[in-house]
Amino acid sequence: MKMESPSDAPDAMRREAIPATAEALFDAVLASNQRTPNPRLKQVMDALLRHLHGFASEVQLSYAELEIALDFLVRIGKATGPEKHEGILLADILGLATLVGLNDSRKALAAGGTEPALVGPFWRANQPVREQGANIASAGTPGDRLFVNGRVLSLDGTPIGNARVETWQASPGGLYENQDPGQEDMNLRARFQTDEDGKFSFRSVRPAGYAVPVDGPCGELLALQQREIMRPAHLHFIVMAEGYKTLATQIFDADDPNAYRDVVFGAVGSLLHEFEKAPDGNYVLDLDLRLEPGEMRIPMCPLP
């Protein structure tokens, strides 16, 4: 029978005690990841361990503080439900979602692609498929009328036909319909297919800014930081087309003062647009959404 050498033995079989120092502990924890067969998982875990141990040592994290942090993460899960995804909200208010989106899109941005913005916690699966020019606001939805004319293009300006465009927005009262029992189900939500010229259009109401949900652990954190809690008025878009990377973005109302202090840091670059007022008093939004070539991926949908 082949005997394992000490270097090949499982960690539980080792008889050397870890020296009681932070440096030795880190070396042992890092070594435990070296057999990870998936190279990307190994890279991610190596970096996570380095930063996690470095963070705890830098701030001299106490055990009582660790207990608070672990309880916070548990409560993030418990606060997630059909009305909101608290985990996504946490990634948003920490700027992590925006950072990851910008990193993913750096090549597209260098070539003139549309900036990404976080999906957020309110996208719903099975949004209704609507015809071009349809009104996505149900009868009785208050607010100024808004006409949206969009084009989906490649980075070189070629129209992308048959692209799937998902859009959703809060009502002028500042609530998505799944948060508000007074709104019709799937109000202010739609799925469109672009025509051969890459165009899509719809009617809606001008959105309003709103406060992010503060009834959970994320709200407690924002209060402790004495931070703003407002999001500027915006419309969400997710665009998917074969042969192109999926674009998740938001178009912000440049006249909303919260566009310059967005609590989730999403209002970046050219995503701020003027909602032009037409002579009849309605508003018009014209926009181009430019996609990067690559593999299409459907983002995780946070709500049913």
Side-chain angles (χ1 to χ4, degrees):
M1 182 175 68
K2 181 181 181 295
M3 299 294 291
E4 290 183 308
S5 67
S7 60
D8 293 331
D11 293 348
M13 300 291 291
R14 292 176 181 164
R15 295 182 175 276
E16 292 183 4
I18 299 172
T21 66
E23 294 77 13
L25 173 63
F26 170 70
D27 288 343
V29 174
L30 191 63
S32 72
N33 190 46
Q34 300 315 298
R35 293 185 182 180
T36 303
N38 184 301
R40 177 58 176 167
L41 177 60
K42 182 179 180 300
Q43 178 190 21
V44 170
M45 288 303 300
D46 277 352
L48 175 64
L49 293 171
R50 284 196 304 273
H51 290 286
L52 188 62
H53 280 245
F55 154 75
S57 294
E58 178 184 339
V59 302
Q60 287 296 289
L61 193 71
S62 72
Y63 209 89
E65 290 168 334
L66 176 60
E67 290 177 333
I68 293 172
L70 295 175
D71 179 66
F72 178 81
L73 292 177
V74 169
R75 291 191 295 119
I76 289 288
K78 290 181 177 179
T80 295
E83 293 186 354
K84 63 172 178 170
H85 193 304
E86 194 82 359
I88 292 177
L89 181 58
L90 178 61
D92 293 349
I93 66 172
L94 296 179
L96 180 61
T98 296
L99 172 63
V100 171
L102 291 174
N103 285 340
D104 275 348
S105 304
R106 58 189 182 277
K107 290 182 180 179
L109 296 180
T114 300
E115 294 91 343
L118 45 93
V119 172
F122 296 111
W123 180 35
R124 291 185 64 180
N126 302 313
Q127 297 192 153
V129 177
R130 303 188 193 265
E131 298 293 328
Q132 294 281 3
N135 190 351
I136 71 172
S138 60
T141 302
D144 295 324
R145 301 297 104 178
L146 173 66
F147 295 81
V148 177
N149 302 301
R151 294 192 303 169
V152 177
L153 308 171
S154 65
L155 294 180
D156 64 5
T158 302
I160 302 175
N162 202 37
R164 170 179 163 184
V165 179
E166 299 258 354
T167 187
W168 67 102
Q169 65 178 86
S171 74
L175 292 174
Y176 292 89
E177 113 289 351
N178 61 297
Q179 301 173 293
D180 183 2
Q183 293 186 55
E184 184 178 308
D185 187 46
M186 292 292 180
N187 186 33
L188 298 169
R189 297 177 182 273
R191 178 187 300 177
F192 297 97
Q193 294 294 124
T194 60
D195 64 17
E196 60 183 9
D197 295 319
K199 294 180 179 180
F200 65 95
S201 64
F202 60 91
R203 292 172 288 151
S204 185
V205 293
R206 190 177 184 183
Y210 57 85
V212 295
V214 294
D215 58 343
C218 290
E220 295 173 19
L221 178 59
L222 290 170
L224 289 169
Q225 293 180 290
Q226 298 185 4
R227 284 178 54 185
E228 301 278 355
I229 62 171
M230 294 298 295
R231 295 225 62 208
H234 60 277
L235 291 87
H236 288 268
F237 293 94
I238 292 179
V239 187
M240 291 171 270
E242 291 295 336
Y244 294 88
K245 292 184 178 181
T246 297
L247 171 67
T249 193
Q250 299 172 33
I251 301 300
F252 297 90
D253 186 345
D255 290 334
D256 188 328
N258 291 306
Y260 308 94
R261 50 177 182 267
D262 183 4
V263 64
V264 301
F265 313 101
V268 300
S270 67
L271 298 183
L272 277 68
H273 283 239
E274 297 287 344
F275 288 49
E276 300 290 344
K277 193 169 186 176
D280 61 4
N282 295 316
Y283 288 84
V284 177
L285 174 64
D286 296 317
L287 68 149
D288 290 343
L289 301 172
R290 294 179 180 269
L291 307 189
E292 177 186 7
E295 181 181 355
M296 185 187 79
R297 185 186 71 84
I298 299 177
M300 182 185 73
C301 189
L303 295 175

